[in-house]
Amino acid sequence: MAVYALTGFSLVSLLSFGYLSWDWMKPSLVADVATDPMEKSPPPTFTRPPHIIFILTDDQGYHDIGYHGSDIQTPTLDRLAAEGVKLENYYIQPICTPSRSQLITGRYQIHTGLQHSIIRPRQPNCLPLDQVTLPQKLQEAGYSTHMVGKWHLGFYKKECLPTRRGFDTFLGSLTGNVDYYTYDNCDGPGVCGYDLHEGEDVAWDQSGKYSTFLYAQRVSKILASHSPKEPIFIYVAFQAVHTPLQSPKEYIYRYRSMGNVARRKYAAMVTCMDEAVKNITWALKKYGYYDNSVIVFSTDNGGQTFSGGSNWPLRGRKGTYWEGGVRGIGFVHSPLIKRKRRTSWALVHITDWYPTLVSLARGNLSNVQGLDGYDVWSAISEGKESPRTEILHNIDPLYNHAKYGSLEDGFGIWNTAVQASIRVGEWKLLTGDPGYSDWIPPQTLTNFPGSWWNLERLTDGLRKSVWLFNITADPYERYDLSEQRPDVVRTLLMRLVHYNRTAIPVRYPAENPRAHPDFNGGAWGPWASEDEGEEWEGGREPLKSRNKKKKCKICKLRSFFRKLNTRLMSNRI
């Protein structure tokens, strides 16, 4: 039996706050709105393919939305979720690239070779070019497709860019995180570059504009210039609320009473993002799209607790396979939903959006083989049972092997030192090192402004490499049943073995010095020619001095335009 050490607060005091007494079967502290008698008439029928708006936020914690009892104000998201369908059994991946790749391809990351870590800026790697993407299938169905925001699926070749993977237009960043105003990104000391792109060109002229506002404005512009009679797909991948923690001052002021500075800035960013969603929704109504639209809202992974996020009462954080890393915020808002204003406990995974949205668009899936996602629209719209019964969270053979794992501990069929996790029915199994495993309460429970303090910390279990939980009965992962139910452990290990047999080799090449922004005019962008193969992926020497001289001239020009743009912006204010 695991022993837990309490630090900072007693369980009794926390229960008095109502956190541990939260009824998991009714997680929304904002009561589901009863169906209005006027809405008993059936929803509009699909006379034509619906407009699809997919909104993905970055590093937003499970607790960090109003209807999960947060102290952060998200009135727009709360209203949209209350009027639609809240997905309270919804799963994503623990970090950026894996979630995005599975959304775009409908496949587990073991089937795209992206099962380890993220795609880093200097890696000659991207979403496999043989994968037919979600926007490409929607284009086939007659949709206009647009992406606004963070890509993070590789860019070493032009073929990897969003505009080559199914999007008609693109405004956003290619790497994993950038400054919200300057759009600079540093991938190590001295390896810095600008990362905001319009189509396949560098968008130097947009520097100085706060990305959350910029992206919402771009969505409104797209809607204004398009006809609502023609179907449109817009993928809005907000940079918010990933680090760096930056927000306009007026939003930070709202949370001035928060003692924790990181939480204060983070909360401001969430509320700012909420208002951006409000503006997008308003534009849908203004330009005539709303009545035939489907809005999907999803987070990409759990919150980073040391950067202001909270996944309470779930265990773990971003980057882990505990529920705090993989259970996401999700909801669907649409006038086309048959049973609105309710909470769904149907099992849904981020891979499911591919077949679900293509089917809604009346696209053709018959020629797409090997999808791991399911069409879950009937579960969402009509409340039917989900066709999904299990989720492979991942198998990562490259992650540091657990010190105490072994093939023997895995009944001779699985090496429990390997990081892996799977859910089958109500059971969840983890092997290897699942990541940071504490339960971290909302920072408002502490009087220590500069720190996060753990409610409970696991004091044994450090020599373990297998965990088993009944997630339905124990969503907080407090009671490890691996020793009591070896039969279930063995069954789930066999499922891991099954999936592992279908995995393709990991794609995680060494960084290439040619990717340095200095060789691309000071901006991150493609560096390999379109006809180059993979033989160069070990890296080549940097370009010679003539390019360095050219680089310096470009950098000076870039600096000049930045200063000019800053002055112009100051004059406007």
Side-chain angles (χ1 to χ4, degrees):
M1 178 66 70
V3 179
Y4 302 102
L6 302 185
T7 60
F9 291 89
S10 69
L11 286 173
V12 174
S13 65
L14 282 162
L15 281 168
S16 69
F17 278 94
Y19 289 106
L20 293 184
S21 60
W22 185 14
D23 183 354
W24 182 255
M25 296 306 293
K26 289 186 178 296
S28 172
L29 298 187
V30 177
D32 289 347
V33 181
T35 302
D36 191 316
M38 298 298 293
E39 292 190 0
K40 287 185 177 180
S41 58
T45 57
F46 288 83
T47 56
R48 58 183 188 274
H51 308 297
I52 302 170
I53 311 298
F54 195 103
I55 300 173
L56 187 72
T57 60
D58 200 341
D59 287 8
Q60 184 179 359
Y62 181 83
H63 184 69
D64 299 327
I65 191 165
Y67 66 83
H68 280 174
S70 179
D71 54 344
I72 298 176
Q73 301 166 21
T74 57
T76 301
L77 299 181
D78 294 343
R79 178 179 56 79
L80 292 176
E83 295 173 355
V85 177
K86 302 171 188 173
L87 305 177
E88 290 299 339
N89 206 4
Y90 175 57
Y91 285 87
I92 48 184
Q93 295 306 113
I95 49 178
C96 301
T97 296
S99 280
R100 294 160 204 276
S101 70
Q102 297 194 46
L103 166 65
I104 293 294
T105 67
R107 289 171 168 81
Y108 292 140
Q109 57 204 92
I110 64 165
H111 296 146
T112 59
L114 300 175
Q115 54 266 58
H116 179 67
S117 191
I118 60 173
I119 296 178
R120 303 193 179 278
R122 287 179 282 173
Q123 282 184 313
N125 195 12
C126 72
L127 189 72
L129 299 176
D130 61 351
Q131 295 289 329
V132 179
T133 67
L134 170 61
Q136 286 172 332
K137 295 302 294 181
L138 293 176
Q139 282 181 331
E140 290 178 8
Y143 275 68
S144 172
T145 59
H146 307 268
M147 180 179 174
V148 180
K150 172 178 168 178
W151 176 238
H152 208 186
L153 289 174
F155 58 89
Y156 79 102
K157 289 184 178 184
K158 284 190 175 181
E159 294 99 319
C160 301
L161 297 176
T163 47
R164 307 288 180 100
R165 305 311 305 271
F167 290 104
D168 296 326
T169 69
F170 169 67
L171 174 68
S173 60
L174 300 174
T175 61
N177 67 295
V178 299
D179 185 283
Y180 281 73
Y181 292 96
T182 68
Y183 300 97
D184 286 327
N185 176 27
C186 292
D187 187 40
V191 188
C192 301
Y194 184 81
D195 183 18
L196 184 65
H197 294 74
E198 174 93 54
E200 298 181 8
D201 299 320
V202 182
W204 298 106
D205 59 322
Q206 302 293 346
S207 179
K209 301 176 182 178
Y210 188 66
S211 72
T212 304
F213 293 155
L214 176 66
Y215 294 156
Q217 290 166 1
R218 174 51 58 94
V219 174
S220 296
K221 184 177 180 180
I222 291 171
L223 293 172
S225 60
H226 187 77
S227 170
K229 295 181 180 180
E230 301 297 328
I232 190 170
F233 170 60
I234 306 180
Y235 172 35
V236 188
F238 280 115
Q239 175 187 352
V241 288
H242 197 291
T243 54
L245 299 179
Q246 297 172 305
S247 172
K249 291 182 179 179
E250 60 268 27
Y251 291 90
I252 297 176
Y253 185 75
R254 300 185 190 185
Y255 297 100
R256 59 192 180 279
S257 61
M258 283 188 176
N260 186 289
V261 175
R263 180 70 173 172
R264 187 189 313 156
K265 293 180 178 179
Y266 174 92
M269 294 165 71
V270 173
T271 296
C272 186
M273 177 271 295
D274 181 86
E275 292 196 9
V277 174
K278 177 181 179 180
N279 292 337
I280 291 172
T281 308
W282 179 83
L284 287 169
K285 294 180 178 180
K286 176 182 179 181
Y287 298 115
Y289 297 86
Y290 178 78
D291 289 341
N292 190 42
S293 69
V294 174
I295 302 172
V296 180
F297 181 90
S298 171
T299 49
D300 71 335
N301 47 246
Q304 179 52 273
T305 53
F306 296 119
S307 299
S310 174
N311 304 303
W312 182 262
L314 303 179
R315 184 177 185 176
R317 65 187 187 205
K318 172 185 177 178
T320 76
Y321 288 94
W322 305 106
E323 291 292 281
V326 297
R327 190 184 284 258
I329 300 172
F331 66 79
V332 179
H333 178 95
S334 172
L336 306 175
I337 293 174
K338 292 183 179 179
R339 291 184 57 197
K340 304 185 187 73
R341 301 175 182 266
R342 64 185 183 86
T343 295
S344 170
W345 291 94
L347 187 61
V348 179
H349 184 249
I350 195 167
T351 53
D352 297 332
W353 296 120
Y354 186 112
T356 300
L357 298 181
V358 173
S359 296
L360 275 178
R362 300 175 184 172
N364 180 17
L365 288 170
S366 63
N367 59 350
V368 181
Q369 303 299 320
L371 288 180
D372 293 306
Y374 294 84
D375 181 351
V376 293
W377 182 250
S378 62
I380 294 171
S381 177
E382 302 173 42
K384 295 183 179 180
E385 186 176 351
S386 172
R388 176 177 289 282
T389 59
E390 66 182 49
I391 296 172
L392 175 68
H393 293 303
N394 195 26
I395 300 171
D396 186 348
L398 297 190
Y399 194 81
N400 296 333
H401 282 200
K403 184 177 180 180
Y404 296 99
S406 68
L407 189 61
E408 181 181 358
D409 289 341
F411 299 96
I413 59 175
W414 183 263
N415 183 356
T416 63
V418 175
Q419 185 190 64
S421 182
I422 188 170
R423 173 170 172 175
V424 179
E426 61 188 10
W427 295 103
K428 177 181 177 182
L429 179 78
L430 304 99
T431 70
D433 178 5
Y436 189 85
S437 66
D438 286 2
W439 294 267
I440 303 174
Q443 64 86 31
T444 50
L445 295 182
T446 178
N447 292 319
F448 302 93
S451 306
W452 286 90
W453 291 77
N454 296 333
L455 163 64
E456 299 182 55
R457 173 161 288 169
L458 199 62
T459 56
D460 75 349
L462 299 180
R463 295 175 179 270
K464 288 179 60 63
S465 61
V466 179
W467 293 261
L468 177 71
F469 301 96
N470 183 320
I471 286 299
T472 303
D474 178 27
Y476 313 135
E477 298 171 298
R478 293 179 176 273
Y479 306 105
D480 176 17
L481 302 176
S482 58
E483 294 183 5
Q484 291 95 319
R485 296 299 305 269
D487 57 320
V488 178
V489 171
R490 184 182 180 90
T491 298
L492 269 61
L493 287 177
M494 287 299 297
R495 293 303 296 160
L496 286 178
V497 171
H498 163 75
Y499 279 113
N500 199 44
R501 288 173 180 160
T502 70
I504 68 173
V506 179
R507 300 165 57 95
Y508 198 72
E511 294 181 342
N512 192 295
R514 296 169 64 198
H516 199 299
D518 283 357
F519 301 145
N520 190 40
W524 292 102
W527 72 87
S529 63
E530 297 184 11
D531 58 350
E532 281 189 86
E534 296 181 350
E535 68 276 7
W536 56 270
E537 289 189 352
R540 287 181 180 172
E541 291 297 319
L543 302 182
K544 300 304 179 181
S545 58
R546 61 183 177 83
N547 283 0
K548 291 184 179 180
K549 292 179 181 179
K550 181 179 179 181
K551 173 262 299 186
C552 292
K553 291 179 181 178
I554 293 174
C555 287
K556 290 179 181 178
L557 188 62
R558 171 189 172 196
S559 176
F560 168 77
F561 280 114
R562 270 208 187 153
K563 292 178 180 178
L564 180 62
N565 184 62
T566 301
R567 290 181 181 178
L568 290 173
M569 293 295 293
S570 299
N571 290 337
R572 290 176 185 174
I573 294 172

